[in-house]
């Protein structure tokens, strides 16, 4: 299997090897050490402040989104949400579910966020800003510097869902004054699903501390207290935490987060150049490096996603064809992939083309 889907992604041999071991008991000093090291490495890679803290929550990425909404906000907040696709809409739904007052900036599917769109909300009574910095459903990456400036100017708490963007696009919690970053184990971290990672700035921590969360499992204060000694209130996805540890150390040993981001940038650019030889196009001007959304110049009557999977064992992600008829697929650049893997995909497409299927 060659997997270009948008999570779970291809894992390294080292991560796979850890996955094949027996699950160890976790209330041990050894396991606490691993968790504490993960926290340190995550803070380093997010350029987070010394005072920030990291939560490793067992659940998928959406557990990270929902628990953040529950723990960071309350009925005194008014949250502005960028809504340009499925994940933006999920934040809107979560805020509504938890009675958090919110408004959304509607961005057309596949379009960039412009400063005109953003500054329509300048000087209003919002308290916080929520954004899925890569809206994975379309591949759009919103301008984080622009959002950061807007939030600084309006004194808004900035919460970034970087679940697909972390390690693919640059992000700096300190310089960009980001208060919460949410990510997950199964995207560019290239581990199995199971752990959502929430990093909180000092300001976000203050909010959490003064908030009351009506949940036992999702209570950040409980997680933060346990986290001081490298533990979690309940049984975590232990193996995934061990795999994250190996992966984070590997990134550090290979030169750190900037080197890893550059590797993904190069891989994305390599694919975007190679796909040009087909009657396809990469239309979006603000794509994340995590994903390339490919459109066809004409509407195709073949399902390339199915053919690639069933006949070539190559997995790409489907397109939202309810929204865009000529969008054919999304190709991920996250995880253990190389330019040679891009060639394998390109050659399969050439073969399908030679067969006269498009
Ligand atoms: C993958 C993803 C999520 C989380 O999805 P889960 O299925 O809950 O892991 C959230 N936000 C974005 C932007 C994503 O790409």
């Amino acid at each position: 299997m060659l997997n270009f889907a948008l999570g779970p992604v291809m894992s390294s041999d080292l991560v796979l090897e850890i996955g094949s071991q027996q699950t160890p008991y976790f209330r041990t000093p050894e396991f606490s050490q691993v968790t504490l090291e993960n926290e340190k490495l995550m803070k380093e890679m997010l350029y987070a402040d010394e005072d920030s803290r990291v939560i490793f929550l067992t659940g998928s990425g959406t557990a990270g989104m929902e628990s953040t909404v529950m723990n960071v906000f309350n009925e005194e907040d008014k949250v502005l949400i960028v809504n340009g696709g499925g994940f933006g809409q999920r934040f809107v739904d979560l805020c509504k579910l938890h009675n958090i007052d919110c408004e959304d900036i509607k961005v057309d599917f596949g379009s960039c966020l412009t400063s005109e769109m953003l500054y329509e909300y300048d000087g209003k009574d919002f308290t916080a800003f929520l954004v899925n910095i890569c809206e994975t459903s379309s591949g759009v990456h919103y301008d984080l510097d622009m959002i950061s400036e807007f939030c600084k100017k309006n004194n808004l708490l900035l919460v970034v869902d970087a679940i697909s963007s972390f390690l693919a696009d640059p992000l700096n919690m300190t310089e960009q004054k980001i208060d919460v970053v949410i990510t997950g184990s199964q995207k560019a971290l290239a581990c199995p699903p199971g752990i959502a990672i929430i990093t909180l700035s000092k300001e976000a921590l203050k909010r959490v501390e003064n908030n009351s969360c009506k949940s036992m499992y999702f209570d950040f204060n409980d997680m933060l207290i346990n986290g001081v000694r490298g533990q979690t209130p309940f049984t975590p996805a232990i193996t995934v935490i061990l795999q994250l540890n190996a992966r984070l150390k590997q990134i550090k040993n290979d030169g750190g987060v900037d080197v890893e981001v550059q590797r993904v940038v190069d891989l994305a650019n390599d694919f975007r150049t190679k796909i040009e030889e087909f009657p396809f196009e990469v239309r979006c001007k603000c794509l994340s490096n995590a994903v390339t959304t490919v459109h066809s110049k004409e509407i195709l009557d073949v399902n390339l996603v199915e053919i690639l999977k069933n006949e070539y064992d190559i997995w790409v992600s489907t397109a939202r064809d309810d929204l865009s008829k000529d969008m054919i697929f999304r190709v991920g650049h996250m995880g253990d992939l190389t330019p040679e893997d891009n060639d394998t995909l390109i050659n399969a497409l050439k073969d399908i083309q030679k067969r006269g299927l498009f």
Side-chain angles (χ1 to χ4, degrees):
M1 168 201 214
L2 183 55
N3 187 7
F4 293 91
L6 303 175
V9 303
M10 305 279 283
S11 296
S12 66
D13 290 343
L14 179 60
V15 167
L16 291 177
E17 207 270 320
I18 295 167
S20 73
Q21 307 287 318
Q22 296 282 2
T23 309
Y25 179 60
F26 69 106
R27 300 287 188 204
T28 62
E30 291 79 10
F31 189 75
S32 297
Q33 246 356 86
V34 169
T35 308
L36 291 172
E37 189 176 34
N38 283 353
E39 176 164 24
K40 184 169 159 285
L41 288 166
M42 276 306 301
K43 281 166 68 166
E44 213 172 284
M45 290 185 195
L46 290 166
Y47 295 97
D49 243 53
E50 249 326 289
D51 304 326
S52 56
R53 291 286 310 278
V54 186
I55 285 172
F56 297 89
L57 167 64
T58 295
S60 82
T62 307
M65 296 169 72
E66 180 158 20
S67 58
T68 297
V69 168
M70 291 165 75
N71 283 272
V72 174
F73 303 133
N74 62 36
E75 56 285 345
E76 281 160 37
D77 281 298
K78 188 167 174 195
V79 181
L80 187 57
I81 303 170
V82 182
N83 185 359
F87 291 105
Q89 184 60 45
R90 192 170 300 176
F91 264 143
V92 173
D93 295 342
L94 283 168
C95 284
K96 287 190 174 151
L97 180 67
H98 293 285
N99 295 317
I100 307 299
D101 193 8
C102 68
E103 246 180 74
D104 56 344
I105 308 177
K106 291 201 174 65
V107 181
D108 287 341
F109 188 71
S111 296
C112 311
L113 175 72
T114 64
S115 81
E116 290 74 33
M117 290 154 88
L118 189 58
Y119 277 84
E120 243 185 72
Y121 296 87
D122 189 31
K124 302 267 169 71
D125 57 347
F126 293 100
T127 59
F129 195 98
L130 270 176
V131 62
N132 316 87
I133 203 65
C134 166
E135 172 51 74
T136 321
S137 62
S138 64
V140 165
H141 181 261
Y142 302 118
D143 185 338
L144 186 52
D145 283 328
M146 180 177 80
I147 290 171
S148 162
E149 283 311 308
F150 177 84
C151 290
K152 282 178 194 164
K153 181 168 183 280
N154 285 281
N155 195 26
L156 305 181
L157 190 96
L158 175 54
V159 176
V160 174
D161 165 358
I163 295 180
S164 58
S165 179
F166 173 60
L167 296 178
D169 308 301
L171 183 150
N172 186 313
M173 275 186 86
T174 304
E175 270 176 24
Q176 292 171 317
K177 213 193 150 304
I178 304 169
D179 293 291
V180 183
V181 173
I182 307 164
T183 190
S185 54
Q186 85 274 29
K187 303 286 172 86
L189 276 164
C191 289
I195 296 285
I197 307 171
I198 303 114
T199 305
L200 302 146
S201 73
K202 196 172 164 182
E203 205 172 333
L205 286 165
K206 223 180 297 162
R207 272 174 161 261
V208 169
E209 198 183 333
N210 295 323
N211 219 351
S212 64
C213 172
K214 279 202 180 53
S215 169
M216 182 186 281
Y217 191 78
F218 283 134
D219 185 354
F220 278 3
N221 281 317
D222 196 10
M223 297 179 208
L224 288 164
I225 290 165
N226 278 274
V228 172
R229 59 185 174 100
Q231 285 288 327
T232 49
F234 311 108
T235 310
I238 298 166
T239 303
V240 182
I241 287 180
L242 296 174
Q243 288 168 310
L244 281 173
N245 187 250
R247 169 75 168 134
L248 290 169
K249 285 199 291 204
Q250 201 170 38
I251 293 169
K252 189 175 161 86
N253 291 338
D254 289 347
V257 64
D258 297 342
V259 171
E260 178 61 10
V261 168
Q262 190 56 48
R263 193 189 66 74
V264 181
V265 169
D266 293 342
L267 193 64
N269 288 337
D270 174 72
F271 177 75
R272 289 168 194 176
T273 307
K274 287 171 179 165
I275 198 73
E276 275 176 11
E277 68 173 273
F278 298 100
F280 299 157
E281 57 190 350
V282 180
R283 220 171 267 165
C284 179
K285 298 286 174 269
C286 53
L287 278 179
S288 164
N289 302 304
V291 45
T292 302
T293 304
V294 181
H295 286 80
S296 146
K297 289 181 182 158
E298 286 167 27
I299 292 174
L300 302 182
D301 53 10
V302 285
N303 186 337
L304 289 178
V305 177
E306 285 291 309
I307 297 174
L308 284 168
K309 174 167 77 68
N310 297 338
E311 298 175 39
Y312 297 85
D313 203 19
I314 297 175
W315 300 54
V316 296
S317 280
T318 49
R320 294 283 302 270
D321 59 1
D322 53 325
L323 290 166
S324 169
K325 290 271 177 247
D326 54 357
M327 183 168 153
I328 44 180
F329 48 55
R330 292 168 298 158
V331 174
H333 309 298
M334 297 175 281
D336 202 43
L337 290 167
T338 63
E340 291 69 43
D341 294 325
N342 284 343
D343 290 335
T344 306
L345 172 55
I346 293 293
N347 288 334
L349 288 169
K350 275 187 198 161
D351 194 55
I352 298 170
Q353 191 179 33
K354 213 163 66 194
R355 291 162 59 193
L357 296 176
F358 71 86

